[in-house]
Amino acid sequence: MEVIITQDYDAMSERGAQIVIDALRNRPDIVLGLATGSTPEGIYERLVAAHRNDGLDFSQAVTFNLDEYVGLGPDHDQSYRSFMNAKLFNHVNVDVARTHVPDGLAVDPAAHCAQYERMIRQAGGIDLQVLGIGRDGHIAFNEPGTSLGSRTHVACLTRQTVEDNARFFDDAAQVPRFAITMGIGTILEARTCLLLACGANKAPAVRAALEGPITSMTTASALQLHPDTTAIVDEAAAAELELLDYYRWQQENRLA
Ligand code: GLP
């Protein structure tokens, strides 16, 4: 795994956005895996700016989001569909029909999960998957204890995740308890992964994910098995990394 330490959130967003922009320019019909949460917002802002100012073209891109709350429809202001529309899709020239977010209102969620997997396969698989990380080391909504071979499934959120995400709702009681999420097995099939983390409250999760044992107790640790993952971590989130000096040394000594 390549680990890039940046000074702060803005620098993390800048590096992350550049990777996505380069990938999209190299392959206009790219299949992008997208994430929600506060962490990737800076990247989406930069993608919108690149579209407006430099003509970054999304017209042929296909997107698949990691997850969606069960029970929230696209019109709910806290649904992940509505987040993606507001932060990215409404401001670039992506074809909405090519953007996919699991359907939180699916009548048969299990069938919908299987169909989501099929759609990803039919699109040719995900080229670049953007990921944030939860304080308990989850990626997407793969909470501790989730099989590292899991596919898209309905997940029960932990109490901690519900509390963490309550800041977006009027109160914790309104946070859905379930979500449809890509599984760890699904995520590991993406050709390239980009893990983003910022802030001191993510430092233990980052340490466990990047340097801890590969375990379902920290589902992000499965990325250690992925052959092409880049983690971009700001200094606060990197503070507990044992190999911090080595990651910096590697950054200074890149092969041309
Ligand atoms: C949610 C999302 C994750 C995200 C995590 C962290 O649980 N399902 O995809 O990585 O929150 O969010 P934030 O970036 O706001 O810290």
Side-chain angles (χ1 to χ4, degrees), residues 17-31:
Q18 206 48 59
I19 289 173
V20 180
I21 291 168
D22 290 346
L24 182 54
R25 287 206 201 281
N26 282 336
R27 187 163 178 190
D29 62 348
I30 193 168
V31 180

Side-chain angles (χ1 to χ4, degrees), residues 24 28-30 51 55-62 92-98:
L24 182 54
D29 62 348
I30 193 168
H51 169 70
L56 184 67
D57 180 21
F58 288 81
S59 62
Q60 296 174 62
V62 176
V92 297
N93 65 332
V94 72
D95 175 356
V96 178
R98 292 178 194 237

